[in-house]
């Protein structure tokens, strides 16, 4: 299957939005402060953003809390305090454990990860639907370790299910990941060395 250039799709969407003269409401799923940094810098020009920190995959719970606190600190120090709203999702780690059952030995980026993406994106869509947001999307594609094709396909399917528009994107493009690293250094952000779940921690620790 031919790969879709989701950055071009985003460019066209933003061009259309810019002509409207108003900023649509966007519910942006956030996995952590570093990944959110460059995405916020980029999208804040065009959207009224609410960040949604929903990551039941993260273990232990202390790590979940640490990443949320760092996201909150970044929003304040980077000057977003009065520009965006930040919602802390429930720590529903049991949901992640249920979907990971039987896939414990899957390679990183495989079916277990796809189910995890779907869980977090669907939860974001549910909130976007309930609160009447114009769009929803996720910061996950800024990572070079995340498959933008898969993320956007999941987003498309869930958008059709909940009748809320998904903002197609590949935030690693146009030096998005590079910029996130620069902003992480500038603000002294905590950059974790694994995605979040215990299986990814084992994987990345083994890689050294």
């Amino acid at each position: 299957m031919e790969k879709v250039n989701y950055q071009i799709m985003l460019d066209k969407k933003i061009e259309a939005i810019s002509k409207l003269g108003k900023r649509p409401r966007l519910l942006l799923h956030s996995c952590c402060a570093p990944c959110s940094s460059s995405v916020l810098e980029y999208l804040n020009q065009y959207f009224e953003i609410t960040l949604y920190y929903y990551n039941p995959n993260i273990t232990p719970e202390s790590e979940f809390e640490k990443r949320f606190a760092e996201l909150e600190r970044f929003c304040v120090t980077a000057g977003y305090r009065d520009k965006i709203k930040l919602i802390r999702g429930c720590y529903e780690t049991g949901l992640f454990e249920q979907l990971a059952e039987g896939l414990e030995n899957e390679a990183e980026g495989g079916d277990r990860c796809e189910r995890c993406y779907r869980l977090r994106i669907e939860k974001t869509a549910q909130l976007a639907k309930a609160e009447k947001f114009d769009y929803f999307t996720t910061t996950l594609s800024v990572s070079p370790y995340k498959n933008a094709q898969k993320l956007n396909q999941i987003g498309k399917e869930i958008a059709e299910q909940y009748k809320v528009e998904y903002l197609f994107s590949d935030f690693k493009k146009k030096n998005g990941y590079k910029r996130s690293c620069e902003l992480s250094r500038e603000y002294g952000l905590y950059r974790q060395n694994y995605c979040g779940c215990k299986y990814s921690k084992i994987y990345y620790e083994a890689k050294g």
Side-chain angles (χ1 to χ4, degrees):
M1 184 180 295
E2 185 178 352
K3 287 188 175 182
V4 178
N5 190 321
Y6 289 105
Q7 181 58 49
I8 290 178
M9 291 181 67
L10 179 58
D11 287 342
K12 290 180 178 178
K13 175 62 69 174
I14 285 177
E15 183 180 357
I17 287 170
S18 299
K19 293 177 181 178
L20 297 176
K22 64 177 182 178
R23 298 195 305 165
R25 296 176 67 228
L26 170 66
L27 184 62
L28 176 61
H29 167 260
S30 169
C31 54
C32 62
C35 287
S36 300
S37 60
S38 61
V39 178
L40 279 176
E41 183 181 67
Y42 179 30
L43 295 182
N44 185 60
Q45 307 168 70
Y46 311 106
F47 296 90
E48 180 185 320
I49 298 174
T50 294
L51 273 180
Y52 183 40
Y53 180 80
Y54 178 75
N55 302 288
N57 57 309
I58 296 176
T59 52
E61 188 171 0
S62 59
E63 178 73 14
F64 174 89
E65 297 294 349
K66 183 175 182 177
R67 295 190 194 188
F68 177 75
E70 192 69 343
L71 178 61
E72 193 171 39
R73 183 181 73 82
F74 171 73
C75 289
V76 172
T77 56
Y80 294 114
R81 181 202 294 270
D82 300 321
K83 297 178 181 178
I84 67 167
K85 183 179 178 182
L86 175 58
I87 299 174
R88 178 191 180 280
C90 296
Y91 184 55
E92 301 173 319
T93 189
L95 292 180
F96 172 76
E97 291 300 333
Q98 288 175 20
L99 69 83
E101 189 173 351
L103 300 172
E104 294 86 352
N105 297 319
E106 278 281 305
E108 193 71 2
D111 289 345
R112 184 185 64 247
C113 293
E114 184 171 344
R115 289 188 185 183
C116 181
Y117 303 156
R118 188 174 295 275
L119 170 64
R120 291 185 279 174
I121 292 172
E122 183 167 8
K123 198 76 170 183
T124 305
Q126 290 170 350
L127 182 58
K129 175 78 171 181
E131 297 298 326
K132 296 181 170 57
F133 280 85
D134 299 301
Y135 298 90
F136 73 102
T137 195
T138 177
T139 62
L140 286 167
S141 70
V142 79
S143 169
Y145 302 106
K146 300 293 186 292
N147 186 325
Q149 301 295 312
K150 191 171 292 185
L151 286 166
N152 282 282
Q153 183 57 43
I154 292 170
K156 179 178 183 292
E157 292 169 6
I158 290 174
E160 291 170 353
Q161 178 181 350
Y162 287 94
K163 304 296 187 290
V164 181
E165 190 164 352
Y166 184 77
L167 188 68
F168 294 102
S169 53
D170 188 353
F171 293 121
K172 70 176 69 66
K173 300 287 189 180
K174 299 176 77 170
N175 291 320
Y177 176 68
K178 179 183 177 183
R179 182 58 179 156
S180 74
C181 294
E182 293 171 350
L183 289 167
S184 293
R185 289 192 292 271
E186 181 179 343
Y187 290 97
L189 298 180
Y190 162 63
R191 293 184 69 89
Q192 56 282 354
N193 59 3
Y194 67 105
C195 179
C197 76
K198 58 188 177 184
Y199 309 108
S200 68
K201 187 173 185 179
I202 292 169
Y203 173 81
Y204 286 112
E205 285 179 349
K207 285 187 67 175

